[in-house]
Amino acid sequence: MSLYQLQKFLYVLNRDQASQRRYRDEIHELLNDFDLTDEERQALVEGDIGLLYVLGVNGQILMHFAAFLGIEWFDYLELMREGIRKHGPVRAGVYAMTGGGERFTQEEKTR
Amino acid sequence: MSLVYAGVLSHAPGITGRADLVRDVSIRNEFYEKLDRQRKEIEEMQPDVLVVVAAEHFANFFMNNMPAFCVGIGEEHAGPIEDPEWLKIPYTTVPGNADLGNRLCTEIMKSVDVAYAEEWKLDHGIMVPLHFLTPRYDLPVIPVNINCQGPPLAPLHRVWAFGQALKRACGTVPERVAVVGTGGISHWPATPDSGKINAEWDVEFLDRLRRADKKALLSYTDEATYREAGQGGFEIRTFIAAAAAAGGPLNLQFYTAKLPIFAVGCTVGRFEIL
C-alpha cells in the first residue's frame, strides 16, 4: 500500500500545478495528505531519485519528477544507478534489476 | 469496410525530446523520413479520423482505477502532459470525434468490455506519433489506451479480441478510419537500463507480425516478455491490437536498434487489411 501512496503523491505532483507550488512552499503539509513511511517522506523531501527508484516508483512517473527538479536525462539515469549501489536492488513494484545498470548509449558513454 | 489504413510506429519521448543528442544522425533522419512516408500513406487514404492505439503512461489513469482498454470519446484532447520543452513538442489541442467515438465504442462493447473517457490528456505516447503523422493537428483523433504499464495486464488473446472488435466497429460506420498501434517492442524506458534493446527479440516479434501469425503472436507470456524484453515489452499489446484490426501481414518499412538514445527500437510498418 505504501508504494501506491508514494506513486500517487508523484502522480499528483506531476500533473497538478497547485501541488507543485505546495511542494516548493509547504512540502511537509503536502506530504501529510498521503500515508507515507518516514523513508518515503525523506526521499520526497530530498528529491532522492535513487532511493525512489529502489523503493519501486515507476520510471514513467519518476522521470517527470526528475525533470521537475531540473535533473538532466543522463544524470537521472546515473542517480538511479547510484541508488542501487547505495540501497540495493529495487524492493517493490514492476521493476527488478534485469541489467547491471550499465550504460547503453554511446552518447552517454562519451559524455 | 471503413478501415482504410492500419499500421504501427514506435513512440518514445526521446524520439523528439532527445533528437539533438543522437550521434548517428543519418539513421535518425531515415527514421523520420519513414515516418513522413507513413504520414503520406495515411493521408492518401483520406481518413476522417485516426485511431491511435497507445500505451499511456499515467497521464489519465492511475492504479486507483486502471482500465485494461479505454477509448477516448471527447470532443478534443490536449497535450503533451509532459513539459513541452522536455518533449520538444508544443502544447496543443487536438480535435477528437465524440460522435464517432461513441458509435465505435458502442460497437466494440458488443464483444469486449472497454472503458471510455470524455476527457483525455495526451502524453508522449500519442503526441510523438501525432507530431509526425498529423503535424498540423487537423485530423480528428480517437485515442485508445491499453494498459501496458504493469500487471494485472490484459492477456494477449483479449488484446487480439479488442483489435478484432475495433475492426468490426469500423465496419459499421460510414467514416473512413485509419488505425495505428504505437508502442515499443523490447525496451527498458526510464530505468537505469534505458537504451537497452533486445534487437533479436524485436526482429522475431516483427517477423511474427509479417507472417500474420496469430498463434505465435499470442504465445508470449508476460513473464518471458519481462525477462527478455523488459517492462517496455508489455507494449507489444498495441502492435498486436493493430495486427488484429488489420487481419493481414505487416509490411515492415523500417526497423533499427541503432538509436538507443531514443530508448526504444524504432519501427514503422503498414498492415495489409483483410
Side-chain angles (χ1 to χ4, degrees), chain A residues 49-51 53 59 62-63 66-67 71-85 95 97 100-109 111, chain B residues 18 21 86 188-196 231 260-263:
Chain A
I49 296 297
L51 179 55
Y53 178 70
L62 189 58
M63 70 175 173
I71 298 169
E72 298 294 332
W73 179 250
F74 293 135
D75 294 330
Y76 162 69
L77 300 180
E78 193 56 35
L79 286 169
M80 288 188 287
R81 296 183 191 115
E82 284 180 14
I84 294 157
R85 286 194 289 270
Y95 302 128
M97 284 306 297
E102 63 182 287
R103 296 176 174 186
F104 286 95
T105 71
Q106 287 296 324
E107 290 83 351
E108 188 180 9
K109 286 174 185 169
R111 185 170 65 134
Chain B
R18 294 192 289 278
L21 295 178
W86 180 82
W188 286 254
T191 75
D193 295 337
S194 178
K196 181 179 178 182
Q231 82 285 347
I261 190 66
F262 289 170

Side-chain angles (χ1 to χ4, degrees), chain B residues 34 51 64 70 73 99 110 155 159 169 171 186 192 196 213 242 248 263:
Chain B
K34 291 297 179 357
V51 175
N64 62 333
C70 188
I73 59 172
D99 174 55
K110 290 178 179 175
V159 172
S186 71
K196 181 179 178 182
D213 189 339

Side-chain angles (χ1 to χ4, degrees), chain A residues 44-70:
Chain A
L44 291 170
V45 169
E46 296 179 357
D48 189 337
I49 296 297
L51 179 55
L52 291 168
Y53 178 70
V54 168
L55 291 172
V57 174
N58 190 299
Q60 298 291 346
I61 295 172
L62 189 58
M63 70 175 173
H64 298 306
F65 181 53
F68 168 70
L69 297 175

Side-chain angles (χ1 to χ4, degrees), chain B residues 83-167:
Chain B
D83 178 358
E85 294 293 321
W86 180 82
L87 192 60
K88 294 189 172 60
I89 296 178
Y91 188 81
T92 191
T93 299
V94 178
N97 187 326
D99 174 55
L100 178 57
N102 267 281
R103 282 182 278 129
L104 290 176
C105 208
T106 300
E107 285 298 323
I108 292 169
M109 281 182 176
K110 290 178 179 175
S111 55
V112 177
D113 294 326
V114 292
Y116 63 86
E118 292 193 33
E119 182 181 350
W120 197 293
K121 294 179 170 60
L122 303 172
D123 71 14
H124 69 268
I126 291 180
M127 287 305 295
V128 169
L130 296 186
H131 172 78
F132 292 98
L133 300 183
T134 65
R136 296 180 301 278
Y137 304 110
D138 52 357
L139 179 63
V141 169
I142 294 178
V144 171
N145 183 54
I146 302 176
N147 171 34
C148 299
Q149 291 308 318
L153 297 156
L156 297 183
H157 71 274
R158 297 297 297 161
V159 172
W160 188 271
F162 170 78
Q164 287 186 311
L166 174 60
K167 183 180 190 177

Side-chain angles (χ1 to χ4, degrees), chain B residues 193-205:
Chain B
D193 295 337
S194 178
K196 181 179 178 182
I197 296 164
N198 185 343
E200 188 178 345
W201 199 89
D202 287 1
V203 168
E204 169 60 27
F205 175 74

